[in-house]
Amino acid sequence: MKIIAADVIVSSPDRNFVTLKITTDEGLTGLGDGTLNGRELAVASYLTDHVVPLLIGRDPHRIEDTWQFLYRSAYWRRGPVTMAAIAAVDVALWDIKAKAAGMPLYQLLGGASRTGIMAYGHASGRDLPELFDSIRLHLDLGYRSIRVQTSVPGINAVYGVAAQPGVDGKRYDYEPAQRTPLPAEEDWDTRSYMRHLPGVFEAVRNEFGPELPLLHDGHHRMTPIQAAKLGKALEPYDLFWLEDCTPAENQEALRLVRQHTTTPLAIGEVFNTVWDYQTLIREQLIDYVRSAVTHTGGITAMRKLLDFAAQYQIKSGIHGPTDISPVGMAAALHLDLAIHNFGIQEYMQHGALTNEVFRQSFSFTDGYLHPGERPGLGVELDEEAAARFPYQPAYLPFNRLKDGTVHDW
Ligand code: CS2
Ligand code: MG
């Protein structure tokens, strides 16, 4: 079998997506997600201008060889753009191989290790009553694990708090990337946030009881000692995890956090290779690997990363916001079902326009996701529908502290 075409499809139904479609001379096609929020065109160009010419004529079945070729022959390795481009090719090839084998991808990855994939959803509120309503909405939607994000008195805009909480029957919609010519500036103050958050979790536990798994995303904003202090303050509320509590370029920073708290830690959504995790995994400094298949070199690389993590009893917590396309989500679900060290899967639901462009076969029942039984990934792209939604420039916001200093968003 030979690759005869590779098309890069950039579309913007509810938000921008970059999809790679590989076609073989035997009529099989495979899809891969290369969406990098706010930098989509960089990956589209990397694919179109540098990778696609290298794919034509190749044997699509040689996935590992193609991965190594794209990673090593580029000379310039790692990084979000390169690894998203490699991921798009890798996932498309796994889609083709599973279709050629006539089985859903998870079967090719070793078969099912569980009957379903526990998912968590995003609840948020500008105040406690709105937050409680949002949690109830997600319980009604079938979620059995909930991420809690909340506004903070004195701060105008905080990550993760939905513009429309969905209480009035509208879809719960939090899309951080705004279709604006420049990034929106948001304000931040860590001390206000750290004073406010423990009280929110106390109220949520009082309202919903001790069992409901609760997660929170610190979104890279605290120093190591602040993260240690917050982790400790949240211990009475038994969080499933505290995510991205501090920027982790300096992996050793987590040693200080670990010294002070037993709150489980999840990190990695902005990571792109196993190398970003070496110290974190070897020294048991995290409990969950947060990478997305789309941003970490695809299924081939993610499986190796999760196998490494498994040696340290560290589990998966794959990144699944709406800026991971249904193709990237499907790839994650097949991996989630097959691996042993599965922890939890993030699941933000895509909008109606996105579901018009991407026809998916995964299901969500009583809190559990399943990739479905169709051969391959189980996602098809409607190219005519995709063409109706051309790319629109969009940026993620950024933060400034009260004194004007740029801060992690
Ligand atoms: C977040 C993301 O879902 C999460 O855990 O951290 O929503 C993140 O902000 C976006 O993916 C950025 O594009
Ligand atoms: Mg996050």
Side-chain angles (χ1 to χ4, degrees), residues 39 155-159 174 176-178 180-189 219-221 394-409:
R39 297 291 184 274
I155 301 179
N156 298 320
V158 175
Y159 163 74
Y174 174 72
Q178 302 303 312
T180 50
L182 293 173
E185 180 178 322
E186 297 188 348
D187 56 338
W188 180 251
D189 179 65
H219 225 255
H220 325 271
R221 294 167 185 215
Y395 283 100
L396 284 167
F398 75 106
N399 267 339
R400 283 194 188 278
L401 303 178
K402 285 199 182 116
D403 67 2
T405 309
V406 170
H407 191 70
D408 301 284
W409 176 77

Coordinates of all heavy atoms in Angstrom, one line a residue, residues 39 155-159 174 176-178 180-189 219-221 394-409:
R39 N -2.4 28.9 17.6 CA -1.3 28.8 16.7 C -1.5 27.8 15.6 O -0.6 27.1 15.1 CB 0.0 28.5 17.5 CG 0.4 29.5 18.5 CD 0.9 30.8 17.9 NE 1.4 31.7 18.9 CZ 0.7 32.6 19.5 NH1 -0.6 32.6 19.3 NH2 1.2 33.5 20.4
I155 N -11.1 39.8 41.1 CA -10.5 39.5 39.8 C -11.6 39.5 38.7 O -12.6 38.9 38.9 CB -9.7 38.2 39.8 CG1 -8.6 38.2 40.9 CG2 -9.1 37.9 38.4 CD1 -7.9 36.9 41.0
N156 N -11.4 40.2 37.6 CA -12.4 40.4 36.6 C -12.7 39.1 35.8 O -13.8 38.7 35.6 CB -12.1 41.5 35.6 CG -12.0 42.8 36.4 OD1 -12.8 43.1 37.3 ND2 -10.9 43.6 36.1
A157 N -11.7 38.5 35.3 CA -11.8 37.3 34.5 C -10.9 36.2 34.9 O -9.7 36.4 35.0 CB -11.6 37.6 33.0
V158 N -11.4 35.0 35.2 CA -10.6 33.9 35.7 C -10.7 32.7 34.7 O -11.8 32.4 34.3 CB -11.0 33.5 37.1 CG1 -10.2 32.3 37.6 CG2 -10.8 34.6 38.1
Y159 N -9.6 32.0 34.5 CA -9.6 30.9 33.6 C -10.7 29.9 34.0 O -10.9 29.6 35.2 CB -8.3 30.1 33.7 CG -8.5 28.7 33.1 CD1 -8.6 28.5 31.7 CD2 -8.7 27.7 33.9 CE1 -8.9 27.3 31.2 CE2 -9.0 26.4 33.4 CZ -9.1 26.2 32.0 OH -9.4 25.0 31.5
Y174 N -17.4 27.1 27.4 CA -16.3 27.9 27.7 C -15.2 27.7 26.7 O -14.6 26.7 26.6 CB -15.7 27.5 29.1 CG -14.4 28.2 29.4 CD1 -14.5 29.5 29.8 CD2 -13.2 27.5 29.3 CE1 -13.3 30.2 30.0 CE2 -12.0 28.2 29.6 CZ -12.1 29.6 29.9 OH -10.9 30.2 30.2
P176 N -11.8 29.3 25.6 CA -10.9 30.4 26.0 C -10.3 31.2 24.8 O -10.1 32.4 24.9 CB -9.8 29.6 26.6 CG -9.9 28.2 26.2 CD -11.3 28.0 25.9
A177 N -10.2 30.6 23.6 CA -9.6 31.4 22.5 C -10.7 32.3 21.9 O -11.7 31.8 21.4 CB -9.1 30.4 21.4
Q178 N -10.5 33.5 21.9 CA -11.4 34.5 21.4 C -11.1 34.9 20.0 O -9.9 35.1 19.6 CB -11.5 35.7 22.3 CG -11.8 35.5 23.7 CD -13.1 34.7 23.9 OE1 -14.1 35.2 23.3 NE2 -13.2 33.6 24.6
T180 N -10.6 37.4 18.2 CA -10.3 38.8 18.3 C -9.0 39.1 17.6 O -8.1 38.1 17.5 CB -10.2 39.3 19.7 OG1 -9.3 38.4 20.4 CG2 -11.6 39.2 20.4
P181 N -8.7 40.3 17.0 CA -7.4 40.5 16.3 C -6.2 40.4 17.2 O -5.1 40.1 16.8 CB -7.6 42.0 15.8 CG -8.8 42.5 16.5 CD -9.6 41.4 17.0
L182 N -6.4 40.7 18.6 CA -5.3 40.6 19.5 C -5.7 39.8 20.7 O -6.9 39.7 21.0 CB -4.9 42.0 19.9 CG -4.2 42.9 18.9 CD1 -4.0 44.3 19.4 CD2 -2.9 42.2 18.4
P183 N -4.8 39.2 21.5 CA -5.1 38.4 22.7 C -5.8 39.4 23.7 O -5.3 40.5 23.9 CB -3.8 37.9 23.2 CG -2.8 38.1 22.1 CD -3.3 39.2 21.3
A184 N -6.8 38.9 24.4 CA -7.5 39.7 25.4 C -6.6 39.7 26.7 O -6.0 38.6 27.0 CB -8.8 39.0 25.8
E185 N -6.5 40.8 27.4 CA -5.7 40.9 28.6 C -6.7 40.6 29.8 O -7.7 41.2 29.9 CB -5.1 42.3 28.7 CG -4.3 42.5 30.0 CD -3.7 43.8 30.1 OE1 -3.2 44.3 29.0 OE2 -3.6 44.4 31.2
E186 N -6.2 39.7 30.6 CA -7.0 39.4 31.8 C -6.2 39.7 33.1 O -4.9 39.9 32.9 CB -7.4 37.9 31.9 CG -8.3 37.5 30.7 CD -8.9 36.1 30.8 OE1 -8.5 35.3 31.6 OE2 -9.9 35.8 30.0
D187 N -6.8 39.9 34.2 CA -6.1 40.3 35.4 C -5.9 39.1 36.3 O -6.7 38.1 36.2 CB -6.8 41.4 36.1 CG -8.2 41.0 36.5 OD1 -8.8 40.1 35.8 OD2 -8.8 41.6 37.4
W188 N -4.9 39.1 37.2 CA -4.7 38.0 38.1 C -4.1 38.4 39.4 O -3.3 39.3 39.4 CB -3.8 36.9 37.4 CG -3.6 35.7 38.3 CD1 -2.4 35.3 38.9 CD2 -4.6 34.7 38.7 NE1 -2.6 34.2 39.7 CE2 -3.9 33.8 39.6 CE3 -5.9 34.6 38.5 CZ2 -4.6 32.8 40.2 CZ3 -6.6 33.5 39.1 CH2 -6.0 32.6 39.9
D189 N -4.5 37.7 40.5 CA -3.9 37.9 41.8 C -3.9 36.6 42.6 O -4.9 36.2 43.0 CB -4.6 39.0 42.6 CG -3.9 39.3 43.9 OD1 -2.8 39.7 44.0 OD2 -4.6 38.9 44.9
H219 N -4.0 26.0 36.5 CA -3.6 26.6 35.3 C -2.3 27.4 35.3 O -2.2 28.5 34.8 CB -4.7 27.5 34.8 CG -5.0 27.3 33.3 ND1 -4.6 28.2 32.4 CD2 -5.6 26.3 32.6 CE1 -4.9 27.8 31.1 NE2 -5.5 26.6 31.3
H220 N -1.3 26.8 35.9 CA 0.1 27.3 35.8 C 0.4 28.6 36.6 O 1.4 29.3 36.3 CB 0.6 27.5 34.4 CG 0.0 26.5 33.4 ND1 0.6 25.3 33.1 CD2 -1.1 26.6 32.6 CE1 -0.1 24.7 32.1 NE2 -1.2 25.4 31.8
R221 N -0.4 29.0 37.6 CA -0.3 30.4 38.0 C 0.4 30.6 39.4 O 0.6 31.7 39.8 CB -1.7 30.9 38.1 CG -2.4 31.0 36.8 CD -3.8 31.3 36.8 NE -4.3 31.3 35.4 CZ -5.3 32.1 34.9 NH1 -5.9 32.9 35.7 NH2 -5.7 32.0 33.7
A394 N -7.8 33.7 16.0 CA -8.3 33.6 17.4 C -7.1 33.5 18.3 O -6.1 32.9 17.9 CB -9.2 32.5 17.6
Y395 N -7.2 34.1 19.5 CA -6.1 34.1 20.4 C -6.5 33.7 21.8 O -7.7 34.0 22.2 CB -5.4 35.5 20.5 CG -4.6 35.9 19.4 CD1 -5.0 36.8 18.4 CD2 -3.2 35.5 19.3 CE1 -4.2 37.2 17.3 CE2 -2.4 35.8 18.3 CZ -2.9 36.7 17.3 OH -2.1 37.1 16.3
L396 N -5.7 33.0 22.5 CA -5.9 32.8 23.9 C -5.6 34.1 24.7 O -4.8 34.9 24.2 CB -5.0 31.6 24.4 CG -5.4 30.2 24.1 CD1 -4.3 29.2 24.3 CD2 -6.7 29.8 24.8
P397 N -6.3 34.3 25.8 CA -6.0 35.5 26.6 C -4.6 35.4 27.2 O -3.9 34.4 27.2 CB -7.1 35.5 27.7 CG -8.0 34.5 27.3 CD -7.3 33.5 26.4
F398 N -4.2 36.5 27.8 CA -2.9 36.5 28.6 C -3.2 37.3 29.9 O -4.2 38.0 30.0 CB -1.7 37.1 27.9 CG -1.8 38.6 27.7 CD1 -0.9 39.4 28.5 CD2 -2.6 39.2 26.8 CE1 -0.9 40.8 28.4 CE2 -2.7 40.6 26.7 CZ -1.8 41.4 27.5
N399 N -2.3 37.1 30.9 CA -2.6 37.7 32.2 C -1.6 38.9 32.5 O -0.4 38.8 32.1 CB -2.4 36.7 33.3 CG -3.7 36.0 33.7 OD1 -4.8 36.5 33.4 ND2 -3.5 34.8 34.2
R400 N -2.1 39.9 33.2 CA -1.2 40.8 33.9 C -1.6 41.0 35.3 O -2.7 40.9 35.7 CB -1.3 42.2 33.2 CG -0.5 42.3 31.9 CD -0.4 43.8 31.4 NE 0.2 43.9 30.1 CZ 1.5 43.8 29.8 NH1 2.4 43.5 30.7 NH2 1.9 43.9 28.5
L401 N -0.5 41.1 36.2 CA -0.8 41.2 37.6 C -1.1 42.7 37.9 O -1.1 43.5 37.0 CB 0.5 40.9 38.4 CG 1.1 39.5 38.2 CD1 2.4 39.3 39.0 CD2 0.0 38.4 38.6
K402 N -1.5 43.0 39.1 CA -2.0 44.4 39.4 C -0.9 45.4 39.0 O -1.3 46.5 38.6 CB -2.3 44.5 40.9 CG -3.6 43.8 41.3 CD -4.1 44.3 42.7 CE -5.4 43.6 43.0 NZ -5.2 42.7 44.3
D403 N 0.4 45.0 39.2 CA 1.4 46.0 38.9 C 1.8 46.0 37.4 O 2.8 46.6 37.0 CB 2.7 45.8 39.7 CG 3.4 44.4 39.3 OD1 2.9 43.8 38.4 OD2 4.4 44.1 40.0
G404 N 1.0 45.3 36.6 CA 1.3 45.3 35.1 C 2.2 44.2 34.6 O 2.4 44.0 33.4
T405 N 2.7 43.4 35.5 CA 3.6 42.3 35.1 C 2.9 41.2 34.4 O 1.8 40.8 34.8 CB 4.3 41.7 36.4 OG1 4.9 42.7 37.2 CG2 5.4 40.6 36.0
V406 N 3.4 40.8 33.2 CA 2.8 39.6 32.5 C 3.0 38.4 33.4 O 4.0 38.1 34.0 CB 3.5 39.4 31.2 CG1 3.1 38.1 30.5 CG2 3.2 40.6 30.2
H407 N 1.8 37.6 33.4 CA 1.8 36.4 34.3 C 1.3 35.2 33.5 O 0.6 35.4 32.5 CB 1.0 36.7 35.5 CG 1.1 35.6 36.6 ND1 2.3 35.5 37.3 CD2 0.3 34.7 37.0 CE1 2.1 34.5 38.2 NE2 0.9 33.9 38.0
D408 N 1.6 34.0 34.0 CA 1.0 32.8 33.3 C -0.5 32.9 33.2 O -1.1 33.2 34.2 CB 1.5 31.6 34.1 CG 3.0 31.5 34.1 OD1 3.6 31.2 33.1 OD2 3.6 31.9 35.2
W409 N -1.0 32.5 32.1 CA -2.5 32.5 32.0 C -3.0 31.2 32.3 O -2.5 30.2 32.0 CB -2.9 33.0 30.6 CG -4.4 32.9 30.4 CD1 -5.3 33.8 30.8 CD2 -5.1 31.8 29.8 NE1 -6.6 33.4 30.5 CE2 -6.5 32.1 29.9 CE3 -4.7 30.6 29.2 CZ2 -7.5 31.3 29.4 CZ3 -5.7 29.7 28.7 CH2 -7.1 30.1 28.8

